[in-house]
């Protein structure tokens, strides 16, 4: 009896250990199957471990990961919930549940669980990185940026968080900083890196056309490096999202062919192919760049020919554009230009664009007429007509957007028109090609001997130390364009403007590095109009000034960045420039360059003034109030 009691006691102590040992063996086997991506076998092994030890949190955790591998996220969620209920001290359990919530698109709960994991293990860079991805899905771009930055600071060897940080910064309109992140992420270029960046944009920024264009470039690079089904399917998806159905069709068919060779499922590609093949009935989108649309229409002060510049975009490409029934000149990127004849009875400007699928869009712009007397200055016989060509860009495809250039330009245009009788030509958010087309229009324009032309630029500027050259940044200027082919160099701008036939030209530039328009950054001593002149003296002064050919410039700074200013409050430069215009030039109502500069000289950084091209000694540019 004693021997039997001892044996029973030994059995009661040994049997649980034997069960736990067998459970551990199945857990170790399950982990090996999981590493080999044999998810069904792993589920079986972890299930056996749970049968031997129902209290094993590790077994539930392992089976949850295996269920994730089979995309059975609901069962994965049940298992990870059980693992957490058995052991709440494991941060990795919360991180795994966060991953499952993310895959189920329950992003709020995913953030909560990653936050719990971070609370338990605050030095884990991976948790911050994963939370950054979830916050990107939630469109919490500030949070994404902060978490990515924290992940990078905790683990300086990794580059993965730069991907999400770059996308977030781009969507926050820090496009230059975003470009730096993308470059850091791609320092060691691999196909999977290009593909991941493209996939992130496809998933989390599908409406941002600028990012989609980048994603297309990146996935194409991945395809060139590794030509497989996964990369081609994503490439086709991105093309389709941008409306490039013909290209998407070819790539999607190629993806299906590759899937058959790789012996993998291609259900998603077949669904995409069916979607692409649907009939396209969406017409082109028409944007008018010049003349600017204001007060619900196009303001016209006189009859005759009017230059039209715009852009037409469509998924299938644009076939043709008509302006008032006449064919426009159409460029491959959708830019178009042409002439509209404004007659006394013309009330509507009609632009019609047709895409390659035959869909047509027609937009009618109301003609708003203003009398000729509002745009001319008749005080002195020596004064010809005054024209203002104004370029302003707020919205950029690759650079950070700005707030004030267009409101600044509209305010300057209004004062020039109402106070000084200028005829205004306002060009907004123009591409490089559109800016050049407008300058070419003025190069072909006929001017009278005493006409004056004021050209104004507001927006981004850049200086390239290698080339030793400054540049106007157009709407479509690219950050990765090392050759600067998408920019307009100041030297090119000098040549274009100098060759315009107007005898008197003043260029005003409220852009960064505007002072490098003059390579020497030379400052000039300028003298103003003597005080207390009567009209006869002023007439003689004007005649004298009009004899000299004028090629002068004023820039908002030298070789430095200048402020865009507080939103809605004008840039510091324009605020002072408007102050000068609204002074009416003093009692004589004649504003000289010297007088303009007295208003601008208090700004920091200090504006620059100088001459260029074929400027003649003694020249000036006069703004004469009506």
């Amino acid at each position: 009896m004693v021997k039997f009691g001892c044996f029973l006691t030994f059995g009661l102590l040994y049997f649980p250990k034997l069960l736990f040992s067998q459970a551990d063996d199945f857990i170790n086997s399950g982990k090996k199957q999981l590493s080999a991506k044999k998810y069904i076998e792993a589920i079986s092994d972890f299930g056996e471990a749970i049968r031997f030890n129902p209290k094993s949190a590790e077994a539930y955790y392992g089976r949850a990961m295996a269920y994730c591998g089979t995309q059975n996220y609901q069962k994965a969620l049940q298992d990870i919930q059980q693992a957490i209920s058995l052991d709440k001290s494991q941060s990795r359990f919360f991180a795994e549940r966060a991953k499952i919530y993310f895959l189920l698109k329950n992003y709020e709960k995913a953030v909560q669980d990653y936050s719990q994991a971070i609370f338990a293990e605050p030095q884990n860079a991976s948790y911050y990185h994963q939370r950054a991805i979830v916050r990107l899905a939630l469109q919490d771009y500030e949070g994404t940026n902060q978490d990515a930055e924290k992940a990078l600071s905790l683990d300086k060897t990794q580059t993965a968080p730069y991907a999400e940080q770059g996308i977030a910064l781009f969507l926050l309109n820090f496009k230059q900083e975003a470009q730096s992140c993308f470059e850091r992420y791609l320092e060691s270029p691999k196909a999977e890196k290009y593909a991941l960046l493209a996939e992130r944009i496809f998933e989390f920024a599908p409406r941002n056309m600028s990012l989609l264009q980048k994603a297309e470039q990146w996935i194409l690079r991945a395809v060139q490096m590794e030509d497989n089904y996964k990369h081609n399917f994503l490439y086709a998806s991105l093309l389709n999202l941008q409306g490039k159905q013909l290209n998407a069709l070819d790539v999607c068919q190629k993806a299906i062919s590759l899937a058959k060779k790789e012996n993998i499922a291609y259900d998603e590609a077949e669904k995409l192919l069916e979607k692409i093949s649907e009939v396209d009935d969406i017409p082109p989108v028409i944007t008018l760049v010049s003349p600017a649309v204001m007060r619900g229409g196009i303001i016209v002060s006189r009859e005759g020919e009017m230059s039209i510049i715009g852009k037409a975009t469509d998924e299938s490409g644009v076939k043709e554009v008509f302006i008032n029934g006449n064919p426009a000149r159409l460029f491959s990127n959708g830019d178009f230009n042409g002439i509209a004849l404004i007659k006394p009875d013309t009330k509507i400007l009609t632009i019609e664009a047709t895409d390659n699928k035959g869909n047509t869009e027609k937009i009618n712009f109301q003609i708003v007429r203003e009398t000729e007397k509002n745009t001319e200055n008749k005080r002195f016989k020596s004064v010809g007509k005054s024209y203002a060509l104004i370029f302003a860009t707020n919205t950029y495809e690759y650079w950070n957007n700005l707030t004030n250039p267009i409101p600044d330009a509209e305010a300057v245009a209004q004062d020039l028109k109402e106070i000084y009788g200028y005829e205004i030509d306002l060009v907004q958010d123009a591409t490089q090609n559109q800016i050049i087309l407008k300058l070419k229009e003025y190069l072909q324009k006929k001017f009278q001997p005493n006409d004056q032309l004021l050209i104004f630029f507001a927006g981004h500027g850049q200086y390239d130390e290698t080339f030793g050259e400054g540049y106007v940044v157009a709407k479509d200027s690219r950050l990765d364009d090392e050759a600067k082919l998408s920019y307009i160099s100041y030297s090119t701008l000098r040549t274009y403007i100098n060759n315009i036939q107007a005898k008197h030209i003043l260029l005003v530039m409220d852009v960064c590095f505007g002072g490098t328009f003059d390579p020497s950054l030379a400052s000039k001593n300028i003298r103003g109009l003597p005080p207390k002149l009567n009209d006869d003296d002023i007439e003689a002064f004007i005649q004298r000034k009009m004899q000299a050919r004028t090629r002068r410039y004023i820039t908002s700074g030298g070789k430095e960045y200048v402020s865009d200013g507080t939103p809605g409050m004008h840039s510091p430069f324009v605020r002072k420039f408007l102050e000068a215009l609204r002074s009416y030039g003093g009692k004589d109502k004649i504003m000289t360059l010297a007088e303009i500069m007295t208003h601008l000289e208090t700004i920091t950084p200090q504006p620059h003034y100088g001459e260029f091209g074929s400027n003649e000694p003694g020249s000036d540019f006069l703004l004469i109030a009506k």
Side-chain angles (χ1 to χ4, degrees):
M1 188 72 180
V2 174
K3 289 183 179 180
F4 177 75
C6 290
F7 179 77
L8 180 62
T9 303
F10 174 77
L12 291 172
L13 292 172
Y14 177 74
F15 187 66
K17 291 182 179 179
L18 178 64
L19 294 178
F20 292 162
S21 175
Q22 287 180 305
D24 289 341
D25 288 343
F26 277 112
I27 287 173
N28 291 331
S29 176
K31 288 179 178 178
K32 289 179 182 178
Q33 303 287 11
L34 198 60
S35 296
K37 296 184 178 181
K38 296 180 178 180
Y39 300 119
I40 301 299
E41 293 85 346
I43 289 170
S44 177
D45 282 345
F46 286 123
E48 286 297 304
I50 291 168
R51 187 169 67 85
F52 281 110
N53 182 9
K55 300 291 186 182
S56 174
E58 195 69 33
Y60 281 106
Y61 170 66
R63 194 167 70 173
M65 290 192 290
Y67 275 130
C68 273
T70 65
Q71 298 182 6
N72 191 337
Y73 303 129
Q74 289 298 337
K75 285 195 173 182
L77 183 60
Q78 291 172 10
D79 273 358
I80 198 64
Q81 302 267 38
Q82 185 64 25
I84 291 173
S85 70
L86 291 168
D87 187 355
K88 294 182 175 62
S89 67
Q90 297 294 326
S91 63
R92 58 197 170 98
F93 291 0
F94 287 98
E96 182 64 21
R97 188 169 70 177
K99 183 184 82 173
I100 296 168
Y101 276 135
F102 176 78
L103 292 169
L104 289 169
K105 299 189 185 303
N106 192 335
Y107 302 130
E108 289 81 3
K109 286 190 176 181
V111 167
Q112 291 172 10
D113 272 350
Y114 277 127
S115 298
Q116 183 70 27
I118 288 169
F119 180 78
E121 198 175 344
Q123 298 304 308
N124 190 311
S126 175
Y127 294 163
Y128 282 102
H129 179 207
Q130 295 306 314
R131 191 171 69 175
I133 297 170
V134 182
R135 284 179 160 170
L136 186 62
L138 283 168
Q139 300 181 13
D140 176 11
Y141 305 130
E142 290 282 3
T144 301
N145 179 44
Q146 292 168 9
D147 277 352
E149 189 65 35
K150 183 67 175 178
L152 290 164
S153 68
L154 288 172
D155 184 357
K156 300 188 185 322
T157 63
Q158 65 172 337
T159 59
Y162 282 120
E164 291 75 31
Q165 187 177 39
I167 295 170
L169 287 170
F170 195 99
L171 293 168
L172 287 168
N173 193 34
F174 296 106
K175 294 175 185 174
Q176 289 127 289
E177 294 84 349
Q179 182 66 24
S180 297
C181 288
F182 296 144
E183 289 171 358
R184 291 291 299 275
Y185 177 67
L186 296 169
E187 277 179 353
S188 56
K190 296 179 180 179
E192 61 264 28
K193 282 193 167 188
Y194 286 109
L196 185 140
L197 258 180
E199 186 176 10
R200 288 278 189 266
I201 291 168
F202 177 76
E203 290 178 345
F204 305 132
R207 292 191 180 95
N208 190 294
M209 293 306 296
S210 297
L211 273 178
L212 286 175
Q213 290 171 7
K214 285 181 173 290
E216 182 188 338
Q217 295 170 6
W218 288 326
I219 193 59
L220 177 58
R221 183 73 177 120
V223 167
Q224 291 168 343
M225 296 173 78
E226 292 182 13
D227 194 15
N228 57 31
Y229 165 75
K230 179 182 177 182
H231 294 161
N232 278 277
F233 173 65
L234 181 55
Y235 186 21
S237 301
L238 283 162
L239 289 168
N240 181 61
L241 197 59
Q242 295 177 85
K244 302 177 180 179
Q245 274 80 15
L246 295 177
N247 291 337
L249 185 67
D250 292 339
V251 177
C252 193
Q253 289 171 337
K254 177 186 173 186
I256 291 173
S257 175
L258 287 168
K260 291 176 180 178
K261 291 179 181 178
E262 296 168 21
N263 196 26
I264 57 176
Y266 50 88
D267 296 349
E268 289 182 308
E270 285 188 322
K271 290 178 183 177
L272 179 62
L273 188 63
E274 183 179 346
K275 182 179 178 181
I276 293 171
S277 301
E278 293 176 357
V279 177
D280 173 16
D281 59 356
I282 301 173
V285 176
I286 298 172
T287 304
L288 191 61
V289 175
S290 175
V293 179
M294 302 174 69
R295 303 207 315 246
I298 297 170
I299 300 174
V300 174
S301 58
R302 57 187 173 85
E303 281 75 38
E305 292 185 345
M306 180 169 63
S307 172
I308 307 297
I309 297 176
K311 191 178 190 72
T313 56
D314 186 81
E315 300 172 348
S316 63
V318 179
K319 180 181 179 181
E320 56 190 7
V321 175
F322 289 87
I323 300 172
N324 279 355
N326 297 313
R329 182 185 181 191
L330 180 63
F331 295 84
S332 59
N333 66 350
D335 286 348
F336 65 84
N337 72 314
I339 299 295
L341 182 61
I342 306 300
K343 300 178 181 179
D345 59 348
T346 304
K347 296 180 179 180
I348 297 292
L349 172 71
T350 301
I351 298 179
E352 185 175 333
T354 302
D355 66 19
N356 288 323
K357 296 291 184 70
N359 302 304
T360 298
E361 178 68 275
K362 181 188 291 186
I363 297 183
N364 294 323
F365 296 94
Q366 190 75 28
I367 300 295
V368 180
R369 296 185 181 275
E370 291 193 344
T371 58
E372 185 81 13
K373 64 181 181 181
N374 286 337
T375 61
E376 289 194 2
N377 194 315
K378 300 293 186 181
R379 278 185 64 201
F380 302 102
K381 294 182 295 182
S382 303
V383 180
K385 291 198 67 170
S386 297
Y387 301 89
L389 172 57
I390 300 176
F391 295 95
T393 306
N394 275 14
T395 306
Y396 292 84
E397 293 178 6
Y398 304 101
W399 284 67
N400 298 344
N401 293 337
L402 297 172
T403 303
N404 286 325
I406 288 179
D408 286 352
E410 290 174 343
V412 169
Q414 183 176 353
D415 283 2
L416 287 172
K417 182 176 184 177
E418 294 182 357
I419 299 174
Y420 299 95
Y422 271 70
E423 183 173 307
I424 305 298
D425 193 348
L426 178 58
V427 183
Q428 300 177 0
D429 290 336
T431 63
Q432 180 209 45
N433 187 54
Q434 290 165 348
I435 292 172
I436 291 173
L437 284 173
K438 177 56 70 171
L439 290 172
K440 184 177 180 181
E441 175 190 329
Y442 275 73
L443 281 161
Q444 296 169 338
K445 187 180 180 71
K446 302 296 183 183
F447 291 90
Q448 297 302 311
N450 288 332
D451 289 349
Q452 295 196 118
L453 173 63
L454 187 152
I455 301 176
F456 184 94
F457 276 90
H460 276 304
Q462 191 191 38
Y463 183 78
D464 189 291
E465 292 285 352
T466 303
F467 290 138
E469 176 71 278
Y471 297 87
V472 169
V473 180
K475 177 185 177 70
D476 59 343
S477 296
R478 303 189 313 275
L479 287 167
D480 59 354
D481 179 10
E482 294 186 9
K484 302 301 177 191
L485 299 178
S486 59
Y487 297 72
I488 301 174
S489 70
Y490 290 162
S491 58
T492 298
L493 195 61
R494 283 196 303 271
T495 301
Y496 286 169
I497 295 175
N498 185 57
N499 289 333
I500 293 174
Q501 293 183 30
K503 187 175 181 181
H504 306 285
I505 299 177
L506 172 64
L507 172 65
V508 181
M509 300 182 72
D510 187 11
V511 299
C512 293
F513 306 102
T516 61
F517 179 82
D518 182 348
S520 67
L521 286 179
S523 60
K524 309 292 181 181
N525 292 321
I526 52 179
R527 298 179 181 273
L529 185 69
K532 297 181 181 179
L533 295 179
N534 58 40
D535 277 0
D536 290 339
D537 293 331
I538 293 173
E539 183 75 53
F541 173 82
I542 293 172
Q543 287 180 349
R544 187 167 67 253
K545 287 296 182 182
M546 288 295 179
Q547 291 175 3
R549 181 179 177 85
T550 306
R551 294 293 184 270
R552 297 280 190 176
Y553 73 84
I554 300 172
T555 67
S556 56
K559 189 178 176 183
E560 66 246 317
Y561 292 97
V562 294
S563 173
D564 183 36
T566 304
M569 299 296 290
H570 297 305
S571 74
F573 175 82
V574 166
R575 192 159 58 247
K576 286 294 185 180
F577 189 66
L578 290 171
E579 178 185 290
L581 294 179
R582 292 166 187 176
S583 73
Y584 286 76
K587 292 181 180 179
D588 51 39
K589 294 188 176 182
I590 306 290
M591 175 75 70
T592 65
L593 287 175
E595 289 170 316
I596 293 174
M597 291 305 295
T598 60
H599 288 271
L600 301 178
E601 63 187 5
T602 59
I603 306 172
T604 302
Q606 192 167 11
H608 281 256
Y609 163 86
E611 63 181 62
F612 68 97
S614 55
N615 186 70
E616 294 179 351
S619 68
D620 208 329
F621 194 91
L622 308 178
L623 285 85
I624 304 171
K626 294 190 289 185

